[in-house]
mmCIF file of all heavy atoms in Angstrom:
data_model
loop_
_atom_site.group_PDB
_atom_site.id
_atom_site.type_symbol
_atom_site.label_atom_id
_atom_site.label_comp_id
_atom_site.label_asym_id
_atom_site.label_seq_id
_atom_site.Cartn_x
_atom_site.Cartn_y
_atom_site.Cartn_z
ATOM 1 N N TYR V 1 40.656 -34.684 138.223
ATOM 2 C CA TYR V 1 41.169 -34.796 139.582
ATOM 3 C C TYR V 1 40.579 -33.706 140.480
ATOM 4 O O TYR V 1 40.280 -32.596 140.002
ATOM 5 C CB TYR V 1 42.690 -34.689 139.606
ATOM 6 C CG TYR V 1 43.414 -35.842 138.957
ATOM 7 C CD1 TYR V 1 43.867 -35.758 137.643
ATOM 8 C CD2 TYR V 1 43.642 -37.025 139.655
ATOM 9 C CE1 TYR V 1 44.541 -36.805 137.033
ATOM 10 C CE2 TYR V 1 44.317 -38.086 139.057
ATOM 11 C CZ TYR V 1 44.749 -37.971 137.755
ATOM 12 O OH TYR V 1 45.409 -39.030 137.162
ATOM 13 N N PRO V 2 40.423 -33.965 141.748
ATOM 14 C CA PRO V 2 39.845 -32.974 142.675
ATOM 15 C C PRO V 2 40.874 -31.918 143.108
ATOM 16 O O PRO V 2 41.229 -31.803 144.289
ATOM 17 C CB PRO V 2 39.401 -33.830 143.863
ATOM 18 C CG PRO V 2 40.395 -34.961 143.891
ATOM 19 C CD PRO V 2 40.686 -35.263 142.432
ATOM 20 N N ILE V 3 41.322 -31.123 142.158
ATOM 21 C CA ILE V 3 42.355 -30.132 142.450
ATOM 22 C C ILE V 3 41.758 -28.920 143.149
ATOM 23 O O ILE V 3 40.540 -28.702 143.123
ATOM 24 C CB ILE V 3 43.100 -29.689 141.168
ATOM 25 C CG1 ILE V 3 42.139 -29.013 140.180
ATOM 26 C CG2 ILE V 3 43.805 -30.877 140.519
ATOM 27 C CD1 ILE V 3 42.828 -28.394 138.988
ATOM 28 N N ASP V 4 42.618 -28.130 143.747
ATOM 29 C CA ASP V 4 42.210 -26.905 144.440
ATOM 30 C C ASP V 4 42.986 -25.738 143.822
ATOM 31 O O ASP V 4 44.074 -25.390 144.262
ATOM 32 C CB ASP V 4 42.488 -27.021 145.938
ATOM 33 C CG ASP V 4 41.952 -25.836 146.736
ATOM 34 O OD1 ASP V 4 41.604 -24.800 146.120
ATOM 35 O OD2 ASP V 4 41.913 -25.938 147.985
ATOM 36 N N ARG V 5 42.407 -25.141 142.794
ATOM 37 C CA ARG V 5 43.078 -24.058 142.072
ATOM 38 C C ARG V 5 43.244 -22.818 142.939
ATOM 39 O O ARG V 5 44.241 -22.091 142.826
ATOM 40 C CB ARG V 5 42.313 -23.717 140.799
ATOM 41 C CG ARG V 5 42.239 -24.854 139.783
ATOM 42 C CD ARG V 5 41.562 -24.400 138.514
ATOM 43 N NE ARG V 5 42.376 -23.409 137.815
ATOM 44 C CZ ARG V 5 41.880 -22.564 136.917
ATOM 45 N NH1 ARG V 5 40.585 -22.548 136.645
ATOM 46 N NH2 ARG V 5 42.694 -21.688 136.319
ATOM 47 N N GLU V 6 42.236 -22.557 143.779
ATOM 48 C CA GLU V 6 42.306 -21.374 144.640
ATOM 49 C C GLU V 6 43.471 -21.473 145.620
ATOM 50 O O GLU V 6 44.145 -20.467 145.897
ATOM 51 C CB GLU V 6 40.991 -21.189 145.410
ATOM 52 C CG GLU V 6 39.838 -20.655 144.568
ATOM 53 C CD GLU V 6 39.232 -21.699 143.623
ATOM 54 O OE1 GLU V 6 39.497 -22.917 143.835
ATOM 55 O OE2 GLU V 6 38.500 -21.331 142.691
ATOM 56 N N PHE V 7 43.729 -22.685 146.119
ATOM 57 C CA PHE V 7 44.871 -22.868 147.010
ATOM 58 C C PHE V 7 46.185 -22.565 146.281
ATOM 59 O O PHE V 7 47.057 -21.884 146.826
ATOM 60 C CB PHE V 7 44.903 -24.295 147.557
ATOM 61 C CG PHE V 7 46.170 -24.622 148.300
ATOM 62 C CD1 PHE V 7 46.345 -24.214 149.608
ATOM 63 C CD2 PHE V 7 47.209 -25.303 147.672
ATOM 64 C CE1 PHE V 7 47.529 -24.496 150.297
ATOM 65 C CE2 PHE V 7 48.395 -25.583 148.342
ATOM 66 C CZ PHE V 7 48.553 -25.189 149.668
ATOM 67 N N VAL V 8 46.318 -23.086 145.079
ATOM 68 C CA VAL V 8 47.538 -22.866 144.301
ATOM 69 C C VAL V 8 47.706 -21.370 143.998
ATOM 70 O O VAL V 8 48.811 -20.828 144.081
ATOM 71 C CB VAL V 8 47.525 -23.684 142.995
ATOM 72 C CG1 VAL V 8 48.775 -23.391 142.164
ATOM 73 C CG2 VAL V 8 47.451 -25.170 143.302
ATOM 74 N N ALA V 9 46.601 -20.709 143.652
ATOM 75 C CA ALA V 9 46.653 -19.272 143.369
ATOM 76 C C ALA V 9 47.174 -18.505 144.579
ATOM 77 O O ALA V 9 48.038 -17.630 144.464
ATOM 78 C CB ALA V 9 45.274 -18.758 142.964
ATOM 79 N N LYS V 10 46.643 -18.843 145.759
ATOM 80 C CA LYS V 10 47.082 -18.183 146.983
ATOM 81 C C LYS V 10 48.543 -18.501 147.276
ATOM 82 O O LYS V 10 49.323 -17.621 147.673
ATOM 83 C CB LYS V 10 46.197 -18.614 148.159
ATOM 84 C CG LYS V 10 46.490 -17.871 149.455
ATOM 85 C CD LYS V 10 45.535 -18.285 150.556
ATOM 86 C CE LYS V 10 45.835 -17.531 151.854
ATOM 87 N NZ LYS V 10 44.907 -17.939 152.959
ATOM 88 N N GLU V 11 48.947 -19.731 147.064
ATOM 89 C CA GLU V 11 50.319 -20.163 147.321
ATOM 90 C C GLU V 11 51.312 -19.419 146.424
ATOM 91 O O GLU V 11 52.422 -19.099 146.848
ATOM 92 C CB GLU V 11 50.425 -21.676 147.086
ATOM 93 C CG GLU V 11 51.714 -22.309 147.554
ATOM 94 C CD GLU V 11 51.831 -22.447 149.059
ATOM 95 O OE1 GLU V 11 50.847 -22.162 149.796
ATOM 96 O OE2 GLU V 11 52.922 -22.861 149.504
ATOM 97 N N LEU V 12 50.906 -19.126 145.191
ATOM 98 C CA LEU V 12 51.781 -18.454 144.226
ATOM 99 C C LEU V 12 51.605 -16.936 144.207
ATOM 100 O O LEU V 12 52.274 -16.251 143.431
ATOM 101 C CB LEU V 12 51.543 -19.026 142.826
ATOM 102 C CG LEU V 12 51.984 -20.475 142.618
ATOM 103 C CD1 LEU V 12 51.564 -20.968 141.228
ATOM 104 C CD2 LEU V 12 53.489 -20.609 142.794
ATOM 105 N N GLY V 13 50.699 -16.424 145.019
ATOM 106 C CA GLY V 13 50.525 -14.981 145.107
ATOM 107 C C GLY V 13 49.673 -14.373 144.015
ATOM 108 O O GLY V 13 49.766 -13.174 143.746
ATOM 109 N N PHE V 14 48.824 -15.185 143.382
ATOM 110 C CA PHE V 14 47.893 -14.665 142.392
ATOM 111 C C PHE V 14 46.622 -14.168 143.085
ATOM 112 O O PHE V 14 46.187 -14.732 144.086
ATOM 113 C CB PHE V 14 47.521 -15.739 141.361
ATOM 114 C CG PHE V 14 48.589 -16.021 140.349
ATOM 115 C CD1 PHE V 14 49.420 -17.122 140.490
ATOM 116 C CD2 PHE V 14 48.758 -15.193 139.257
ATOM 117 C CE1 PHE V 14 50.402 -17.397 139.548
ATOM 118 C CE2 PHE V 14 49.738 -15.451 138.316
ATOM 119 C CZ PHE V 14 50.570 -16.559 138.461
ATOM 120 N N SER V 15 46.017 -13.143 142.513
ATOM 121 C CA SER V 15 44.803 -12.579 143.102
ATOM 122 C C SER V 15 43.556 -13.378 142.762
ATOM 123 O O SER V 15 42.509 -13.209 143.386
ATOM 124 C CB SER V 15 44.614 -11.128 142.650
ATOM 125 O OG SER V 15 44.439 -11.068 141.242
ATOM 126 N N GLY V 16 43.650 -14.244 141.737
ATOM 127 C CA GLY V 16 42.513 -15.051 141.337
ATOM 128 C C GLY V 16 42.928 -16.087 140.318
ATOM 129 O O GLY V 16 44.116 -16.289 140.056
ATOM 130 N N ILE V 17 41.943 -16.762 139.721
ATOM 131 C CA ILE V 17 42.220 -17.793 138.722
ATOM 132 C C ILE V 17 41.595 -17.419 137.390
ATOM 133 O O ILE V 17 40.633 -16.644 137.325
ATOM 134 C CB ILE V 17 41.684 -19.177 139.171
ATOM 135 C CG1 ILE V 17 40.158 -19.144 139.312
ATOM 136 C CG2 ILE V 17 42.349 -19.611 140.475
ATOM 137 C CD1 ILE V 17 39.536 -20.519 139.568
ATOM 138 N N CYS V 18 42.140 -17.963 136.317
ATOM 139 C CA CYS V 18 41.521 -17.840 134.999
ATOM 140 C C CYS V 18 40.286 -18.728 134.983
ATOM 141 O O CYS V 18 40.384 -19.941 135.206
ATOM 142 C CB CYS V 18 42.498 -18.274 133.901
ATOM 143 S SG CYS V 18 44.002 -17.263 133.796
ATOM 144 N N GLU V 19 39.129 -18.140 134.705
ATOM 145 C CA GLU V 19 37.881 -18.870 134.857
ATOM 146 C C GLU V 19 37.645 -19.887 133.741
ATOM 147 O O GLU V 19 37.154 -20.979 133.972
ATOM 148 C CB GLU V 19 36.710 -17.882 134.913
ATOM 149 C CG GLU V 19 36.714 -16.972 136.145
ATOM 150 C CD GLU V 19 36.451 -17.726 137.438
ATOM 151 O OE1 GLU V 19 35.978 -18.887 137.369
ATOM 152 O OE2 GLU V 19 36.720 -17.166 138.518
ATOM 153 N N ASN V 20 37.974 -19.524 132.506
ATOM 154 C CA ASN V 20 37.752 -20.418 131.366
ATOM 155 C C ASN V 20 39.056 -21.132 131.023
ATOM 156 O O ASN V 20 40.068 -20.493 130.723
ATOM 157 C CB ASN V 20 37.245 -19.621 130.168
ATOM 158 C CG ASN V 20 36.876 -20.506 128.988
ATOM 159 O OD1 ASN V 20 37.737 -21.009 128.267
ATOM 160 N ND2 ASN V 20 35.582 -20.681 128.773
ATOM 161 N N THR V 21 39.035 -22.458 131.056
ATOM 162 C CA THR V 21 40.273 -23.212 130.896
ATOM 163 C C THR V 21 40.854 -23.102 129.487
ATOM 164 O O THR V 21 42.075 -23.087 129.310
ATOM 165 C CB THR V 21 40.070 -24.686 131.260
ATOM 166 O OG1 THR V 21 39.006 -25.244 130.469
ATOM 167 C CG2 THR V 21 39.715 -24.817 132.737
ATOM 168 N N MET V 22 40.005 -23.002 128.478
ATOM 169 C CA MET V 22 40.504 -22.848 127.109
ATOM 170 C C MET V 22 41.197 -21.504 126.939
ATOM 171 O O MET V 22 42.276 -21.406 126.357
ATOM 172 C CB MET V 22 39.372 -22.998 126.101
ATOM 173 C CG MET V 22 38.797 -24.395 126.005
ATOM 174 S SD MET V 22 37.506 -24.538 124.743
ATOM 175 C CE MET V 22 38.495 -24.496 123.244
ATOM 176 N N ASP V 23 40.569 -20.490 127.475
ATOM 177 C CA ASP V 23 41.164 -19.154 127.414
ATOM 178 C C ASP V 23 42.474 -19.099 128.188
ATOM 179 O O ASP V 23 43.435 -18.449 127.771
ATOM 180 C CB ASP V 23 40.177 -18.133 127.978
ATOM 181 C CG ASP V 23 40.775 -16.739 128.088
ATOM 182 O OD1 ASP V 23 41.131 -16.159 127.044
ATOM 183 O OD2 ASP V 23 40.894 -16.241 129.224
ATOM 184 N N ALA V 24 42.522 -19.806 129.318
ATOM 185 C CA ALA V 24 43.697 -19.758 130.195
ATOM 186 C C ALA V 24 44.976 -20.180 129.483
ATOM 187 O O ALA V 24 46.053 -19.631 129.731
ATOM 188 C CB ALA V 24 43.471 -20.644 131.420
ATOM 189 N N VAL V 25 44.865 -21.173 128.583
ATOM 190 C CA VAL V 25 46.065 -21.710 127.933
ATOM 191 C C VAL V 25 46.279 -21.183 126.523
ATOM 192 O O VAL V 25 47.370 -21.349 125.963
ATOM 193 C CB VAL V 25 46.035 -23.252 127.889
ATOM 194 C CG1 VAL V 25 45.992 -23.818 129.298
ATOM 195 C CG2 VAL V 25 44.846 -23.765 127.054
ATOM 196 N N SER V 26 45.268 -20.530 125.942
ATOM 197 C CA SER V 26 45.342 -20.234 124.511
ATOM 198 C C SER V 26 45.570 -18.782 124.168
ATOM 199 O O SER V 26 45.768 -18.457 122.990
ATOM 200 C CB SER V 26 44.059 -20.703 123.808
ATOM 201 O OG SER V 26 42.946 -19.904 124.217
ATOM 202 N N ASP V 27 45.525 -17.902 125.153
ATOM 203 C CA ASP V 27 45.721 -16.491 124.831
ATOM 204 C C ASP V 27 46.992 -15.971 125.488
ATOM 205 O O ASP V 27 47.448 -16.500 126.501
ATOM 206 C CB ASP V 27 44.528 -15.638 125.268
ATOM 207 C CG ASP V 27 44.400 -14.356 124.430
ATOM 208 O OD1 ASP V 27 45.299 -14.077 123.603
ATOM 209 O OD2 ASP V 27 43.417 -13.638 124.602
ATOM 210 N N ARG V 28 47.539 -14.963 124.869
ATOM 211 C CA ARG V 28 48.696 -14.268 125.393
ATOM 212 C C ARG V 28 48.444 -12.768 125.406
ATOM 213 O O ARG V 28 49.376 -11.985 125.282
ATOM 214 C CB ARG V 28 49.953 -14.586 124.568
ATOM 215 C CG ARG V 28 50.405 -16.039 124.667
ATOM 216 C CD ARG V 28 50.946 -16.370 126.047
ATOM 217 N NE ARG V 28 51.527 -17.739 126.077
ATOM 218 C CZ ARG V 28 50.842 -18.803 126.443
ATOM 219 N NH1 ARG V 28 49.564 -18.701 126.777
ATOM 220 N NH2 ARG V 28 51.425 -20.005 126.461
ATOM 221 N N ASP V 29 47.180 -12.387 125.557
ATOM 222 C CA ASP V 29 46.887 -10.967 125.545
ATOM 223 C C ASP V 29 47.544 -10.241 126.711
ATOM 224 O O ASP V 29 47.884 -9.064 126.616
ATOM 225 C CB ASP V 29 45.387 -10.687 125.495
ATOM 226 C CG ASP V 29 44.600 -11.285 126.655
ATOM 227 O OD1 ASP V 29 45.175 -12.027 127.475
ATOM 228 O OD2 ASP V 29 43.381 -11.004 126.732
ATOM 229 N N PHE V 30 47.769 -10.956 127.831
ATOM 230 C CA PHE V 30 48.457 -10.330 128.954
ATOM 231 C C PHE V 30 49.890 -9.965 128.575
ATOM 232 O O PHE V 30 50.414 -8.921 128.984
ATOM 233 C CB PHE V 30 48.435 -11.250 130.178
ATOM 234 C CG PHE V 30 49.208 -12.537 130.025
ATOM 235 C CD1 PHE V 30 50.544 -12.624 130.414
ATOM 236 C CD2 PHE V 30 48.603 -13.657 129.501
ATOM 237 C CE1 PHE V 30 51.261 -13.806 130.261
ATOM 238 C CE2 PHE V 30 49.310 -14.849 129.349
ATOM 239 C CZ PHE V 30 50.637 -14.915 129.728
ATOM 240 N N ALA V 31 50.528 -10.842 127.769
ATOM 241 C CA ALA V 31 51.890 -10.567 127.306
ATOM 242 C C ALA V 31 51.893 -9.461 126.257
ATOM 243 O O ALA V 31 52.770 -8.591 126.255
ATOM 244 C CB ALA V 31 52.520 -11.837 126.737
ATOM 245 N N ILE V 32 50.913 -9.491 125.366
ATOM 246 C CA ILE V 32 50.788 -8.440 124.352
ATOM 247 C C ILE V 32 50.593 -7.085 125.032
ATOM 248 O O ILE V 32 51.186 -6.081 124.639
ATOM 249 C CB ILE V 32 49.630 -8.738 123.386
ATOM 250 C CG1 ILE V 32 49.940 -9.992 122.562
ATOM 251 C CG2 ILE V 32 49.370 -7.548 122.461
ATOM 252 C CD1 ILE V 32 48.759 -10.504 121.747
ATOM 253 N N GLU V 33 49.761 -7.068 126.064
ATOM 254 C CA GLU V 33 49.525 -5.823 126.788
ATOM 255 C C GLU V 33 50.810 -5.322 127.441
ATOM 256 O O GLU V 33 51.113 -4.127 127.398
ATOM 257 C CB GLU V 33 48.438 -6.020 127.845
ATOM 258 C CG GLU V 33 48.067 -4.729 128.571
ATOM 259 C CD GLU V 33 46.911 -4.907 129.537
ATOM 260 O OE1 GLU V 33 46.429 -6.058 129.722
ATOM 261 O OE2 GLU V 33 46.491 -3.902 130.130
ATOM 262 N N PHE V 34 51.570 -6.230 128.029
ATOM 263 C CA PHE V 34 52.840 -5.838 128.647
ATOM 264 C C PHE V 34 53.797 -5.256 127.617
ATOM 265 O O PHE V 34 54.394 -4.195 127.836
ATOM 266 C CB PHE V 34 53.479 -7.048 129.336
ATOM 267 C CG PHE V 34 54.867 -6.784 129.866
ATOM 268 C CD1 PHE V 34 55.058 -6.054 131.030
ATOM 269 C CD2 PHE V 34 55.987 -7.254 129.190
ATOM 270 C CE1 PHE V 34 56.339 -5.804 131.511
ATOM 271 C CE2 PHE V 34 57.268 -7.013 129.664
ATOM 272 C CZ PHE V 34 57.446 -6.294 130.829
ATOM 273 N N VAL V 35 53.946 -5.939 126.493
ATOM 274 C CA VAL V 35 54.853 -5.447 125.449
ATOM 275 C C VAL V 35 54.347 -4.131 124.881
ATOM 276 O O VAL V 35 55.126 -3.243 124.542
ATOM 277 C CB VAL V 35 55.044 -6.507 124.344
ATOM 278 C CG1 VAL V 35 55.954 -5.979 123.242
ATOM 279 C CG2 VAL V 35 55.638 -7.789 124.924
ATOM 280 N N SER V 36 53.022 -3.985 124.783
ATOM 281 C CA SER V 36 52.449 -2.714 124.340
ATOM 282 C C SER V 36 52.791 -1.589 125.309
ATOM 283 O O SER V 36 53.140 -0.477 124.889
ATOM 284 C CB SER V 36 50.928 -2.849 124.207
ATOM 285 O OG SER V 36 50.335 -1.618 123.870
ATOM 286 N N CYS V 37 52.699 -1.867 126.608
ATOM 287 C CA CYS V 37 53.089 -0.878 127.618
ATOM 288 C C CYS V 37 54.573 -0.531 127.484
ATOM 289 O O CYS V 37 54.966 0.632 127.633
ATOM 290 C CB CYS V 37 52.793 -1.402 129.019
ATOM 291 S SG CYS V 37 51.038 -1.535 129.415
ATOM 292 N N CYS V 38 55.388 -1.550 127.226
ATOM 293 C CA CYS V 38 56.816 -1.318 126.999
ATOM 294 C C CYS V 38 57.027 -0.401 125.796
ATOM 295 O O CYS V 38 57.837 0.532 125.835
ATOM 296 C CB CYS V 38 57.553 -2.640 126.772
ATOM 297 S SG CYS V 38 57.682 -3.711 128.223
ATOM 298 N N ALA V 39 56.308 -0.689 124.700
ATOM 299 C CA ALA V 39 56.451 0.101 123.479
ATOM 300 C C ALA V 39 56.031 1.552 123.712
ATOM 301 O O ALA V 39 56.682 2.483 123.230
ATOM 302 C CB ALA V 39 55.625 -0.524 122.351
ATOM 303 N N MET V 40 54.941 1.743 124.439
ATOM 304 C CA MET V 40 54.475 3.100 124.733
ATOM 305 C C MET V 40 55.515 3.865 125.552
ATOM 306 O O MET V 40 55.820 5.035 125.263
ATOM 307 C CB MET V 40 53.153 3.043 125.496
ATOM 308 C CG MET V 40 52.508 4.402 125.724
ATOM 309 S SD MET V 40 51.559 4.971 124.334
ATOM 310 C CE MET V 40 50.085 3.953 124.495
#
């Protein structure tokens, strides 16, 4: 579909988009990093 990811990113207040679609849905390193910061 001719979606507009940049528009959605701006609408939701994101600074950018995940460039690789497989990576976008398959990793949770952002969550791991957050929990690591919590642990520290």
